[in-house]
Amino acid sequence: MSENRAARHRYEYWLASLSSLSGRKRIYLRTVFAEAEALYRAKKETLERIPVLTERERQEIQRAQGRNEEQLEKDLEYCLQNGIRLALWQQEDYPARLEHIYNPPYALFYRGHLPQPRLKSIGVVGARNCTCYGRAAAEQIGKGLALAGVNVISGMAAGIDGAAQRGALLGKGSTCAVLGCGVDICYPAGNRELYGRLVREGCVVSEYPPHTRPLAMHFPQRNRIISGLSDGVLVVEAREKSGSLITADLALEQGREVYAVPGRISDISSQGTNRLIQQGAGIFLNMEDFLKEMHIFKKTEENSSKKKKIVLENSEMLVYSCLDLTPRNLEELLSESGLSLGALIKTLGTLREMGIVSEVYKNYYIRSGISI
Amino acid sequence: MYSIVSTAIVCGIRSVLVQVEADVCDGMPAFEMVGVLSSEVKEAKERIRAAIRNSGIRLAPKKITVNLYPADIRKSGTVFDLPIALAILAAYGRIPQEYLDNILFAGEISLNGEIRPTEGVLPMVLAAQEAGKKVVCVPRENIREAQIVKGITILPGDNLNQVTELVRKFFENPQELMAKSLTNIEENAEGLQEADFDFASIHGQRVLKRACEIAASGRHNMLMLGSPGAGKTMAAHAVSTILPPLAEEEALELAKVYSIAGMFAQREANFRQRPYRSPHHTISLAGMAGGGAMPKPGEITLAHKGVLFLDELTEFAKPVLEVLRQPLEEQEIRLVRRSGTYFYPADIMLIAAMNPCNCGYFPDRNRCTCSRAVIERHLNKISRPLLDRMDICVEVSRPLLEELTAKQPEESSAQIRSRVERTQLLQRKRFAGTDILYNSRIPSSAVEEWCVMEQEAEKLLHESFENLKLTVRGYYRVLRVARTIADLEEAEKIGYSHICESLLYRSIDRKVWDWE
């Protein structure tokens, strides 16, 4: 249905692709001109009469007017072939949450299925260079939210963002990635697999037209959409100066709840989040409390999640107790457990087979499969 | 008059006999040399003329023609000075030709007639022995390497006059000189020299030590990953101290290599010790593989039968690392030049060390700020095929303070070496009748035959193949290492714990740094 609409509204597509103009200005122009086509055909003199446009913006519009209809038709064809759809300002599939933020995007390009508006949405963001602790937490949070029927919004970046969305997919929930490039581009390239799954099982959204490269200046803009699409934003790991904190600030401006996952005071990667808590952000202690505070009520079936009881032998218990979410290497485990090398290796092998310990890096181990 | 003198030239690792002919006749005085000569051989003309005159020998001005054959080999090097000078003297009738027959001469001459040391004497003497010659005359500085070859009489040359005297003496009374020259080098070659490094000086690091022992036992290649100052370099050096001494044949082959490289003195002191080479990462392709128009052995050949240690693996130029691939498979390096194809032995045990990321502190996120892309780029400097040839990969962390200061004695290299020797003996017995010497050299086609597993172990390995996404090559590598681990315990079959441990040492792949 929306493909047809995109085909009908060639000029709407043209205006949507005009990303050098802010969303606000485009919404204004759209109201002034009533039709996108009118702006497309607007003469220089007409444009000059519009007070809010700067000289540069006027030039941008004129340059964009140079794109002929054939080219637009070709672009639309490309979108159609790649399943890229367009949610336009004040049309039915445009996310209602975004309508009320400052500088809403004029249009959203998306692949996959936009989250149902009835669903609660939580933005999960954090550092790209995360620690094992952060990654495990993000994944568990993503999964927990998905199981509770919450939509997980994030940025598909390396580190926390990707982990949260992988977790959400693991929990078979709905998840949506907001990109800082065209939705036909996978950035970072290392997340190709996640990108593919999001297109199939979730949603990839961007305010930028297809083929747009991931420029650094796009990302702070992208962050306002992440927080805008969410009812609350949860920061998992962030350093003192981090892009994730910008998202948290934006979320506050937009009137969203901000939560942070606490970390050890010695961890640089948790300094930003601990600071947020100091400044009054909500503290994430466990999924149940968080959901309660966000007024999200789990579906009853999930409450009775079966917990497998694993019985460990003495040496296994010993090694397991030496491990947590901070990676430990063999040498540390040797001196902490007091086991012989042979015994330790064998025990680690068994624990790994059970799936409760994993090797995150050459000869570094953490606990795995812990639910938060 | 015509005369002929034997000498030799080094080609790759072997040596080929070369005949020097001289003809002196009446006519316009001239000195002509032919026979595909390089510039340093052509320059010999001037050196020889001066050396003969300065030795007090006056030669009448005549037309001298010198030919070196076989003509299909390009002659380079300075070993021809002495034989050419002697051939000319014989052609003038100053030395009877029969004095020179059946003796191989080699040596550089200085302008005052003194004989200077030269490179590659050992392979030349071996070539002489093969050709049935019983006597060689080499510079005095080189006689120690010549003495390695048994049953050869060595005439040490000091200067031109002394050599002419010596060959006369030898011709008149061969028995006396023969007896004198037959002292053998063996006496100081027994046993290993006291090493300046010992495993006992490395505290803690039990995982690393264990990995070193396994690697040495099966001659597996090893890669160490770890932050700066963790002790990677020290461990690599210590590995060379737990390797069993060279067999006599191996020692001889290695002495040949060092003789050609002009580094015989290094081998002489510790004849049976396995070499340990650690070239700096700025090494060139020719320095690593061997090369030049007339090839010289490179580091991989100098590390033959021993350890080649590459510190800061990621800093080496890519072609320098890629050149290792073929020798690691075939245990020799083939250099093709216009002048011919040269083979050098390169049966090395490769030990490499690298930092996990640019700053070296990954995965400690409090210190390391490298982004994923930076870390990936760091790892991408090493190609997949090279990583694939690393049997054992181990993480090295900084030792804990209590381990450093602990007073408990650590095992010495000698203790570990005795275990390594026992394990290698076990391998040799098992592989008797094949050309395999070590577990690491079992060809993929024969892995199933030699690496028999217990049922439990097989189940674990098959599960791991799926879970850890091992490559086929990786699968065989795990088995080979497990075989060595089992051999250390003298176990007949590979058990569960052996596979467990072997999996622990499996090589890293691109995904290691990537937690996603």
Side-chain angles (χ1 to χ4, degrees):
Chain A
M1 185 183 85
S2 43
E3 288 99 328
N4 293 336
R5 188 166 53 223
R8 265 186 274 120
H9 294 88
R10 183 186 307 153
Y11 303 106
E12 292 288 5
Y13 174 82
W14 171 78
L15 185 55
S17 312
L18 195 61
S19 58
S20 45
L21 254 69
S22 73
R24 271 174 68 224
K25 291 233 167 121
R26 275 185 279 166
I27 290 167
Y28 173 79
L29 287 172
R30 180 75 166 73
T31 354
V32 170
F33 283 86
E35 283 291 334
E37 187 173 358
L39 180 63
Y40 178 71
R41 305 207 183 283
K43 298 259 166 30
K44 194 181 170 210
E45 301 81 58
T46 326
L47 290 174
E48 270 166 1
R49 255 179 280 134
I50 297 170
V52 296
L53 287 181
T54 63
E55 183 57 39
R56 236 201 73 223
E57 284 166 342
R58 214 170 292 136
Q59 285 168 1
E60 289 289 350
I61 294 173
Q62 281 176 317
R63 194 183 312 151
Q65 282 171 342
R67 296 175 67 193
N68 61 32
E69 293 175 25
E70 224 170 279
Q71 279 171 315
L72 289 173
E73 208 50 61
K74 226 190 237 168
D75 287 352
L76 277 173
E77 186 64 24
Y78 176 81
C79 289
L80 202 64
Q81 275 170 2
N82 290 284
I84 300 170
R85 299 184 229 177
L86 195 55
L88 282 167
W89 171 251
Q90 280 186 333
Q91 282 181 355
E92 58 198 287
D93 54 353
Y94 188 87
R97 287 184 188 88
L98 289 178
E99 284 175 8
H100 307 294
I101 68 170
Y102 177 77
N103 191 14
Y106 174 70
L108 288 179
F109 294 87
Y110 67 96
R111 289 179 82 175
H113 308 278
L114 281 176
Q116 293 170 25
R118 283 177 294 106
L119 280 185
K120 279 267 186 185
S121 287
I122 299 292
V124 183
V125 295
R128 275 169 295 163
N129 294 347
C130 63
T131 65
C132 272
Y133 162 71
R135 196 176 79 91
E139 201 174 298
Q140 286 302 322
I141 286 168
K143 191 175 167 189
L145 288 173
L147 287 175
V150 177
N151 179 41
V152 176
I153 315 276
S154 195
M156 206 187 83
I160 300 293
D161 285 19
Q165 298 199 291
R166 277 193 190 87
L169 289 172
L170 219 62
K172 304 224 185 322
S174 130
T175 176
C176 173
V178 186
L179 306 185
C181 53
V183 287
D184 55 339
I185 291 172
C186 173
Y187 179 83
N191 275 345
R192 164 116 355 239
E193 198 188 333
L194 175 62
Y195 173 80
R197 286 194 65 189
L198 282 171
V199 168
R200 270 178 278 124
E201 301 164 41
C203 183
V204 186
V205 172
S206 173
E207 114 181 85
Y208 301 99
H211 305 308
T212 308
R213 316 254 24 125
L215 302 179
M217 62 177 202
H218 292 166
F219 288 87
Q221 292 297 314
R222 175 283 295 263
N223 290 349
R224 86 179 196 282
I225 302 179
I226 293 183
S227 55
L229 280 172
S230 317
D231 297 306
V233 169
L234 178 56
V235 186
V236 177
E237 250 187 345
R239 290 177 183 232
E240 198 77 80
K241 281 178 190 159
S242 161
S244 312
L245 299 184
I246 299 176
T247 314
D249 285 345
L250 288 166
L252 283 177
E253 280 170 24
Q254 295 165 353
R256 315 296 196 228
E257 298 280 343
V258 173
Y259 275 77
V261 176
R264 294 198 286 202
I265 52 172
S266 58
D267 276 4
I268 291 175
S269 311
S270 290
Q271 281 179 355
T273 46
N274 287 347
R275 177 77 70 197
L276 276 178
I277 293 167
Q278 187 200 33
Q279 288 167 346
I283 182 166
F284 180 96
L285 291 182
N286 58 51
M287 190 48 85
E288 213 158 308
D289 286 3
F290 178 71
L291 291 176
K292 220 178 271 171
E293 283 172 45
M294 291 299 297
H295 307 292
I296 300 164
F297 300 100
K298 270 192 178 180
K299 290 176 247 162
T300 41
E301 52 196 301
E302 306 300 341
N303 279 338
S304 57
S305 61
K306 62 264 170 212
K307 266 205 170 159
K308 251 193 289 171
K309 200 79 173 171
I310 300 173
V311 185
L312 296 180
E313 278 173 33
N314 269 348
S315 66
E316 290 164 359
M317 202 59 226
L318 184 64
V319 174
Y320 189 69
S321 65
C322 294
L323 291 165
D324 54 19
L325 287 178
T326 314
R328 290 281 152 81
N329 69 16
L330 274 178
E331 210 65 56
E332 287 168 327
L333 290 176
L334 265 180
S335 62
E336 259 173 62
S337 67
L339 290 174
S340 72
L341 181 59
L344 176 68
I345 286 166
K346 205 169 168 186
T347 313
L348 277 174
T350 350
L351 288 172
R352 259 171 62 177
E353 246 184 296
M354 286 184 209
I356 54 175
V357 163
S358 61
E359 188 181 19
V360 285
Y361 164 65
K362 184 76 205 171
N363 298 5
Y364 275 87
Y365 301 87
I366 61 166
R367 285 188 184 186
S368 68
I370 308 169
S371 53
I372 292 172
Chain B
M1 253 173 87
Y2 168 85
S3 73
I4 182 163
V5 172
S6 292
T7 183
I9 182 174
V10 176
C11 285
I13 188 79
R14 16 171 234 114
S15 185
V16 177
L17 286 198
V18 169
Q19 307 299 330
V20 178
E21 301 174 298
D23 175 72
V24 172
C25 61
D26 293 332
M28 288 276 276
F31 191 169
E32 290 297 335
M33 292 212 321
V34 293
V36 198
L37 310 177
S38 70
S39 57
E40 65 266 31
V41 180
K42 284 179 192 150
E43 285 160 6
K45 218 190 283 188
E46 302 305 323
R47 281 196 296 272
I48 291 163
R49 226 197 304 255
I52 290 177
R53 192 177 57 244
N54 289 335
S55 300
I57 305 167
R58 292 271 167 245
L59 295 179
K62 289 194 174 186
K63 182 176 165 55
I64 306 169
T65 313
V66 171
N67 176 35
L68 278 69
Y69 76 82
D72 59 343
I73 304 173
R74 183 174 165 83
K75 282 75 168 188
S76 68
T78 50
V79 293
F80 302 114
D81 290 6
L82 179 63
I84 292 171
L86 291 173
I88 291 170
L89 290 179
Y92 267 100
R94 300 296 181 97
I95 308 172
Q97 170 72 44
E98 54 267 35
Y99 286 8
L100 304 178
D101 289 343
N102 296 321
I103 305 181
L104 181 126
F105 295 92
E108 182 181 340
I109 292 187
S110 71
L111 296 188
N112 62 0
E114 259 172 40
I115 295 167
R116 294 262 182 82
T118 180
E119 287 162 10
V121 165
L122 176 56
M124 288 180 202
V125 176
L126 284 168
Q129 188 190 36
E130 264 172 46
K133 295 207 184 304
K134 293 271 183 283
V135 192
V136 296
C137 175
V138 296
R140 187 175 286 281
E141 280 91 337
N142 293 118
I143 59 168
R144 295 205 69 81
E145 46 187 298
Q147 276 169 340
I148 291 176
V149 187
K150 292 198 175 112
I152 286 270
T153 305
I154 297 145
L155 307 176
D158 294 319
N159 58 56
L160 203 50
N161 282 333
Q162 174 256 355
V163 168
T164 49
E165 190 59 21
L166 202 60
V167 292
R168 185 188 60 79
K169 261 194 211 155
F170 182 75
F171 184 76
E172 284 163 4
N173 191 0
Q175 302 313 344
E176 185 194 339
L177 279 171
M178 255 174 174
K180 224 193 263 177
S181 83
L182 285 180
T183 52
N184 218 307
I185 195 162
E186 274 310 292
E187 60 211 54
N188 68 350
E190 278 309 325
L192 295 173
Q193 205 205 13
E194 208 43 52
D196 45 352
F197 251 77
D198 200 290
F199 260 107
S201 57
I202 301 177
H203 292 275
Q205 308 278 29
R206 277 179 284 176
V207 182
L208 174 62
K209 281 181 176 174
R210 170 78 176 168
C212 287
E213 184 176 335
I214 297 166
S217 299
R219 272 186 88 72
H220 297 286
N221 299 323
M222 185 165 83
L223 174 65
M224 292 182 282
L225 283 170
S227 48
K232 303 184 291 278
T233 313
M234 214 156 115
H237 202 161
V239 167
S240 66
T241 65
I242 58 168
L243 296 172
L246 290 164
E248 188 169 348
E249 256 173 67
E250 294 173 324
L252 187 63
E253 191 178 12
L254 208 59
K256 240 162 92 172
V257 169
Y258 276 72
S259 171
I260 292 165
M263 295 159 73
F264 182 77
Q266 279 189 24
R267 292 277 352 127
E268 194 186 347
N270 31 18
F271 190 61
R272 289 292 183 95
Q273 179 115 37
R274 290 184 186 262
Y276 169 77
R277 306 289 304 176
S278 58
H280 189 253
H281 58 71
T282 51
I283 187 171
S284 69
L285 189 60
M288 180 65 87
M294 289 300 289
K296 281 272 164 101
E299 288 292 336
I300 42 174
T301 304
L302 294 175
H304 180 54
K305 298 285 175 197
V307 173
L308 178 67
F309 175 51
L310 304 182
D311 205 355
E312 309 297 352
L313 191 67
T314 46
E315 302 304 314
F316 282 82
K318 206 155 190 166
V320 173
L321 291 183
E322 298 313 304
V323 81
L324 291 171
R325 276 153 59 172
Q326 180 250 335
L328 282 177
E329 290 289 310
E330 296 169 17
Q331 278 91 50
E332 68 172 13
I333 180 141
R334 209 169 40 237
L335 299 172
V336 182
R337 295 290 180 272
R338 194 186 53 141
S339 50
T341 303
Y342 300 84
F343 291 91
Y344 286 117
D347 181 5
I348 55 170
M349 175 179 164
L350 180 65
I351 300 183
M354 64 187 276
N355 292 332
C357 65
N358 276 359
C359 71
Y361 292 110
F362 191 85
D364 181 355
R365 277 304 196 183
N366 278 341
R367 299 173 82 177
C368 169
T369 52
C370 300
S371 72
R372 192 168 95 176
V374 168
I375 295 172
E376 269 170 15
R377 215 172 306 135
H378 180 77
L379 185 58
N380 272 342
K381 289 178 188 165
I382 298 161
S383 73
R384 194 60 225 235
L386 189 66
L387 281 179
D388 253 356
R389 284 165 176 81
M390 293 297 185
D391 296 343
I392 291 180
C393 174
V394 72
E395 193 271 339
V396 187
S397 52
R398 273 186 325 151
L400 306 170
L401 186 66
E402 56 257 43
E403 281 173 350
L404 271 183
T405 49
K407 288 286 173 288
Q408 79 199 65
E410 301 280 347
E411 256 188 323
S412 73
S413 286
Q415 278 168 300
I416 303 174
R417 188 167 59 235
S418 69
R419 284 201 298 272
V420 171
E421 271 171 24
R422 196 189 60 207
T423 314
Q424 292 198 349
L425 195 71
L426 203 72
Q427 294 170 49
R428 220 160 303 142
K429 267 189 205 148
R430 181 173 52 235
F431 299 129
T434 66
D435 51 2
I436 309 169
L437 276 177
Y438 306 103
N439 289 333
S440 57
R441 308 284 189 256
I442 306 175
S444 306
S445 55
V447 165
E448 305 285 339
E449 178 189 343
W450 296 113
C451 304
V452 185
M453 284 179 281
E454 280 167 14
Q455 216 163 22
E456 224 184 355
E458 198 163 344
K459 191 170 144 257
L460 173 66
L461 183 60
H462 288 176
E463 278 170 10
S464 308
F465 182 74
E466 295 297 331
N467 294 342
L468 304 172
K469 298 193 175 74
L470 293 179
T471 57
V472 177
R473 223 185 249 189
Y475 175 86
Y476 286 130
R477 219 167 32 218
V478 167
L479 262 175
R480 287 189 195 108
V481 174
R483 181 67 263 171
T484 308
I485 297 170
D487 283 349
L488 272 164
E489 286 175 19
E490 299 186 39
E492 183 82 19
K493 279 184 174 178
I494 299 172
Y496 180 84
S497 61
H498 306 140
I499 294 285
C500 251
E501 190 170 357
S502 180
L503 283 170
L504 195 79
Y505 303 129
R506 74 182 191 281
S507 182
I508 53 167
D509 52 39
R510 285 286 145 77
K511 280 276 165 203
V512 169
W513 276 266
D514 192 348
W515 295 345
E516 324 274 335

